[in-house]
Amino acid sequence: MAQKITTEGLVAPTAQKKPYPMTIHGHTRIDDYYWLNNRENQEVINYLNAENSYTERAMSPIAQKQEGLFEEMKARIKEKDESVPYKDGSYFYYTKFELGGEYPVYCRKYKTLDALEEVMLDGNAMAKGKSYFQIGGFEISDNEDIIAYSEDTISRRNYTLKFKNLKTGYVYPESIENTEGGSYAWAADNKTFFYVIRDQQTLLGNKVYRHVLGTDEKSDVLVFEEKNNQYYMGIGRMKSKKYIAIFSEQNGISTEYQLIKASQPNETPKTFLKRKNGLEYYLEHYENKFFVRTNFNNSPNYQLMEVAESLGGNPKNWKTKIAHRADVFFEGIEVFKNHLVIQERKEGLIHLKIIDQKTNKEHFLDFGEPTYDAYIGTNLEFDTQILRFGYNSMTTPNSTYDYNMIEKTKILKKQQEILGGFDKKNYKTERIYAISRDGIKVPISIVYHKDTKLDGTSPLLQYAYGSYGSSMDASFSSSRLSLLNRGFVYAICHIRGGQEMGRQWYEDGKMFKKVNTFNDFVDCSRTLINLKYAAKDKLFAMGGSAGGLLMGAIINQAPELYKGVVAAVPFVDVITTMLDESIPLTTGEFEEWGNPKNKASYDYMLSYSPYDNVQKQKYPNLLVTTGLHDSQVQYWEPAKWVAKLRDLKKDDNVLLMHTDMTSGHGGASGRFSALKNTALMYSFILDISDKLN
């Protein structure tokens, strides 16, 4: 008999019940596992370790197969590899991976790709002796001599900012902690640097400081403070290099820019247009004017305006460059000397439109597949007719192209090499629609091996996210081939709460319409079964973070549909988290979920919060993953959820939880270490579906 995951003979961990009453709006909830909200408590650590041990023992019969799956996925990755270089100033910049290396090495070459390689940052050397390591981005000074970079060694996304002279190798003594990784900007003088500090209670970036290279960071000057803790904030240098922009955003509600001339770093930031509820705008500087992508004047899918630099942010002075369109969602722009590139969505698919700035003639790139992912790449040069863009689909590996915007020709610079005999002709991709219970058409992107039968006998893994307006495009995954090659169908459901079908798609899946997200997913499941893409007894589901909330909601609503579910770092205790403003990121989420201090929001959240709605019923086989240092979804949410499920569920299905005791929201660092988590999840699914052999 084949060895399989089993809990037979094992005693599942039992979290002690310590009733904790929480009363608001005249309603009391009793949380038996509230005490798990203390990572400093040894009893909590003991419980998490017990769950890890239980999971390890339950999966021990397939440990060799799980390791084999990891090696199989790893073998598809070209270990010695590098990215396509991009030009910025006098240098070509690229990232490479060494043979056996877990971390990227950041390099550059002067003026020509035949020049000697300069290693700016060696992630492998920097990560030695650390259980977690992540480089948070880098910025190069205007004279191209100094690199500012950051690193995180805890996985709480608190990055330490450092500086290095690329000519001499000298690392400056200053080391600035708790910065927002990647949110930095040099001034034009090659010595003044702006960065964002994160509030350690909320973990939101909220203060911009000005630092002068070589000085004590304790003397750094506070330039701007975001005092509204419902706003996310960042900083960056505009492509024109003229302005440093401080950007504040209340997700889906309003935005605001503060501008500093890079040539005058000591000046006080000037507000472009004051924030106003319901008004969002995004700026790009071009010669003597600004392009403004905005929802101004009832334009939910955004329009493009332009205004003379001297006239600033008064909407009365704005002129329409691209009008609002009800059927097209305008995602972003890239500005060149002679061209504008527009990234937009129509019917859920990305389109790249090229506009000649002199003639206003326009044309689109053609991608030639029914469902795909395309995006504007790294384009730091201003005076060029070449557009760098990326493309992939569920059957086409990640590809980097250079497109001549005048000649309308494209050159494939690189396609991700998939080792092990991959041939895209062996796979098929489709795009279908499900009709949700309120009559809305929900797109589904599907991929499968050409030999897989679509006759209602095949297992299927269904994935979705559905929050924050984040669109889940039909992208390629080399790891996913391990499912497809074993006869799995894979489906991405573009449910409401994302932004695939325009801004209204997002609005219809948040706040008091959040349940649409869950209903869409369940109705997609039924469609996939009815159309025979999935066997009715072999349907699996997976989601992470807010997608983990989705997993919790769908197994409360329709547990009978799913054979197994993987919930990664799941946000499942919605009300308790959103009531506790001491928890990182809570206040910035009120416009996504609602504020339960308001009774209407409380009642609505209570109707779907997975933790509050665990019932005495049968549940699917379930694998839950989390990280002890997770800054986005605290580890105790999944821990409490699993404890409650263990107590109430009425079945003998497997319920496993794995806590990475060294990582956070993104899981393990390192390209191969992260694959181990994928191997854990896939082996769980494959074993339950009898496809792991």
Side-chain angles (χ1 to χ4, degrees):
M1 184 176 178
Q3 291 182 309
K4 293 183 65 63
I5 296 170
T6 180
T7 57
E8 187 175 342
L10 301 180
V11 178
T14 303
Q16 186 179 349
K17 289 184 178 182
K18 302 179 182 181
Y20 182 86
M22 293 177 285
T23 302
I24 187 172
H25 307 305
H27 180 260
T28 299
R29 294 179 301 135
I30 303 294
D31 189 347
D32 289 328
Y33 307 105
Y34 187 84
W35 64 274
L36 287 169
N37 177 354
N38 183 0
R39 65 170 56 84
E40 306 303 322
N41 182 346
Q42 189 58 44
E43 187 180 0
V44 172
I45 300 300
N46 291 344
Y47 171 68
L48 297 177
N49 284 330
E51 286 283 3
N52 279 353
S53 177
Y54 178 73
T55 295
E56 184 177 353
R57 293 172 68 191
M59 295 191 69
S60 62
I62 65 164
Q64 280 189 312
K65 292 178 180 178
Q66 181 181 326
E67 181 63 23
L69 193 64
F70 164 72
E71 293 294 342
E72 176 185 306
M73 292 188 291
K74 180 182 176 184
R76 293 194 191 101
I77 297 174
K78 187 178 180 182
E79 291 203 33
K80 189 173 183 179
D81 201 7
E82 63 182 50
S83 65
V84 180
Y86 64 85
K87 194 166 187 294
D88 185 19
S90 304
Y91 287 86
F92 287 92
Y93 292 85
Y94 59 98
T95 305
K96 70 177 184 179
F97 283 95
E98 301 285 10
L99 194 65
E102 286 274 7
Y103 299 94
V105 180
Y106 296 94
C107 309
R108 69 178 185 175
K109 292 182 178 181
Y110 183 61
K111 287 195 174 179
T112 170
L113 292 175
D114 295 325
L116 289 175
E117 178 178 89
E118 297 179 29
V119 174
M120 301 186 297
L121 301 170
D122 184 344
N124 297 303
M126 296 163 70
K128 281 184 180 177
K130 301 177 177 68
S131 59
Y132 180 91
F133 181 76
Q134 186 77 41
I135 292 174
F138 65 85
E139 295 290 332
I140 305 293
S141 60
D142 284 24
N143 64 7
E144 305 178 310
D145 288 350
I146 312 295
I147 184 172
Y149 65 96
S150 62
E151 57 185 41
D152 175 14
T153 58
I154 301 295
S155 189
R156 291 283 281 176
R157 302 187 182 181
N158 282 323
Y159 288 88
T160 299
L161 173 63
K162 299 181 179 182
F163 301 88
K164 177 182 177 181
N165 188 304
L166 294 173
K167 297 292 187 184
T168 65
Y170 174 71
V171 177
Y172 289 78
E174 51 259 57
S175 182
I176 305 172
E177 297 182 344
N178 301 326
T179 71
E180 192 79 68
S183 200
Y184 310 116
W186 283 101
D189 62 5
N190 303 301
K191 65 179 182 179
T192 305
F193 193 76
F194 295 86
Y195 61 91
V196 177
I197 286 289
R198 301 175 93 208
D199 181 284
Q200 289 305 289
Q201 183 62 55
T202 66
L203 290 187
L204 291 170
N206 69 330
K207 292 179 180 177
V208 175
Y209 282 90
R210 184 176 65 236
H211 175 72
V212 177
L213 193 63
T215 65
D216 188 339
E217 58 265 29
K218 293 177 182 177
S219 63
D220 289 356
V221 176
L222 178 64
V223 172
F224 175 80
E225 180 175 5
E226 178 52 71
K227 296 183 179 179
N228 188 330
N229 63 9
Q230 292 187 44
Y231 277 75
Y232 294 89
M233 191 260 294
I235 191 171
R237 185 96 169 260
M238 287 188 166
K239 185 175 180 177
S240 70
K241 300 285 190 179
K242 184 172 183 178
Y243 288 98
I244 294 162
I246 302 170
F247 175 69
S248 297
E249 178 177 33
Q250 187 179 14
N251 192 38
I253 300 299
S254 67
T255 61
E256 185 178 74
Y257 277 77
Q258 320 291 330
L259 300 178
I260 303 169
K261 286 184 179 177
S263 60
Q264 300 174 31
N266 294 325
E267 73 176 6
T268 301
K270 294 181 175 61
T271 303
F272 181 80
L273 173 62
K274 287 185 177 180
R275 65 190 64 178
K276 177 184 176 183
N277 269 7
L279 176 62
E280 297 173 89
Y281 68 93
Y282 304 88
L283 293 182
E284 289 290 345
H285 179 251
Y286 172 69
E287 294 183 341
N288 61 351
K289 64 184 175 183
F290 287 103
F291 287 118
V292 188
R293 183 173 68 93
T294 178
N295 68 348
F296 174 68
N297 198 19
N298 193 29
S299 303
N301 280 343
Y302 300 101
Q303 59 184 321
L304 186 64
M305 315 294 278
E306 58 183 8
V307 62
E309 195 174 353
S310 59
L311 297 178
N314 187 343
K316 292 180 179 179
N317 298 321
W318 295 357
K319 297 179 180 178
T320 302
K321 178 76 172 176
I322 299 176
H324 176 262
R325 293 153 294 171
D327 62 338
V328 177
F329 180 65
F330 178 15
E331 284 193 337
I333 66 171
E334 186 71 55
V335 180
F336 296 93
K337 181 179 180 180
N338 295 317
H339 296 88
L340 269 183
V341 180
I342 308 298
Q343 182 167 314
E344 58 190 33
R345 285 182 186 271
K346 186 173 183 180
E347 296 179 349
L349 292 175
I350 292 174
H351 300 276
L352 298 182
K353 179 165 66 176
I354 318 298
I355 302 174
D356 187 309
Q357 296 229 61
K358 295 179 180 178
T359 66
N360 283 325
K361 289 183 178 179
E362 59 185 53
H363 67 276
F364 287 89
L365 284 159
D366 179 26
F367 301 120
E369 288 192 88
T371 185
Y372 56 83
D373 180 21
Y375 51 91
I376 296 171
T378 303
N379 293 274
L380 300 182
E381 283 194 286
F382 176 66
D383 188 3
T384 178
Q385 63 194 46
I386 303 300
L387 165 71
R388 171 71 53 83
F389 75 92
Y391 176 84
N392 67 107
S393 74
M394 298 177 90
T395 61
T396 305
N398 206 19
S399 307
T400 301
Y401 286 91
D402 277 354
Y403 179 74
N404 189 308
M405 294 181 281
I406 295 176
E407 297 176 3
K408 301 180 182 178
T409 56
K410 64 183 178 184
I411 298 173
L412 176 63
K413 302 297 290 184
K414 180 180 181 178
Q415 185 170 93
Q416 176 189 1
E417 189 175 348
I418 310 300
L419 304 181
F422 169 77
D423 184 348
K424 68 171 292 181
K425 294 177 183 176
N426 289 329
Y427 305 91
K428 294 184 177 181
T429 183
E430 296 182 27
R431 182 180 173 86
I432 66 169
Y433 289 87
I435 305 300
S436 193
R437 63 198 66 179
D438 59 354
I440 297 297
K441 289 174 64 177
V442 180
I444 307 174
S445 297
I446 297 172
V447 65
Y448 53 91
H449 193 281
K450 67 178 183 180
D451 295 334
T452 298
K453 295 179 180 179
L454 303 181
D455 60 358
T457 63
S458 297
L460 183 146
L461 178 58
Q462 180 180 343
Y463 172 81
Y465 185 70
S467 290
Y468 300 107
S470 294
S471 297
M472 297 293 109
D473 289 305
S475 57
F476 185 83
S477 165
S478 64
S479 300
R480 188 190 301 146
L481 297 175
S482 292
L483 296 178
L484 305 184
N485 292 346
R486 288 172 172 82
F488 257 78
V489 179
Y490 187 90
I492 300 175
C493 299
H494 307 289
I495 56 181
R496 282 173 284 185
Q499 216 155 219
E500 290 92 335
M501 302 293 280
R503 181 53 178 263
Q504 196 59 46
W505 203 248
Y506 171 39
E507 297 293 341
D508 286 344
K510 63 183 285 197
M511 297 288 283
F512 291 103
K513 296 181 179 179
K514 189 65 213 170
V515 172
N516 285 337
T517 302
F518 317 135
N519 292 347
D520 283 357
F521 191 90
V522 170
D523 294 340
C524 284
S525 298
R526 294 192 169 112
T527 296
L528 290 165
I529 291 171
N530 292 339
L531 295 180
K532 299 188 183 302
Y533 286 97
K536 63 180 180 181
D537 60 344
K538 295 180 183 178
L539 179 62
F540 294 80
M542 179 186 287
S545 194
L549 161 68
L550 173 64
M551 296 300 100
I554 61 121
I555 65 172
N556 281 336
Q557 182 186 138
E560 74 285 352
L561 285 177
Y562 306 99
K563 181 72 172 178
V565 170
V566 175
V569 293
F571 172 45
V572 285
D573 189 12
V574 182
I575 295 178
T576 306
T577 292
M578 296 306 297
L579 278 171
D580 188 349
E581 295 184 19
S582 71
I583 294 176
L585 308 180
T586 288
T587 55
E589 305 289 287
F590 286 151
E591 295 300 331
E592 179 73 22
W593 313 103
N595 185 343
K597 290 181 180 177
N598 302 319
K599 188 176 186 305
S601 291
Y602 176 87
D603 290 342
Y604 189 74
M605 288 177 174
L606 189 62
S607 73
Y608 71 77
S609 174
Y611 183 62
D612 291 289
N613 286 280
V614 174
Q615 304 167 42
K616 292 183 178 181
Q617 65 179 18
K618 291 182 179 180
Y619 282 95
N621 295 287
L622 188 63
L623 172 64
V624 181
T625 66
T626 186
L628 182 63
H629 300 291
D630 197 326
S631 60
Q632 311 300 107
V633 177
Q634 306 299 315
Y635 74 89
W636 57 78
E637 291 198 41
K640 288 164 52 175
W641 184 46
V642 167
K644 191 171 183 180
L645 281 164
R646 283 207 194 288
D647 183 50
L648 294 179
K649 75 189 191 82
K650 298 296 182 182
D651 58 76
D652 295 323
N653 287 329
V654 175
L655 172 57
L656 303 176
M657 182 174 78
H658 174 72
T659 303
D660 189 323
M661 304 301 280
T662 65
S663 77
H665 199 62
S669 62
R671 57 176 173 161
F672 300 132
S673 297
L675 274 184
K676 287 190 175 291
N677 193 48
T678 304
L680 169 71
M681 295 187 288
Y682 279 11
S683 62
F684 174 83
I685 292 168
L686 287 165
D687 181 74
I688 291 170
S689 69
D690 296 321
K691 290 286 188 178
L692 185 55
N693 293 331

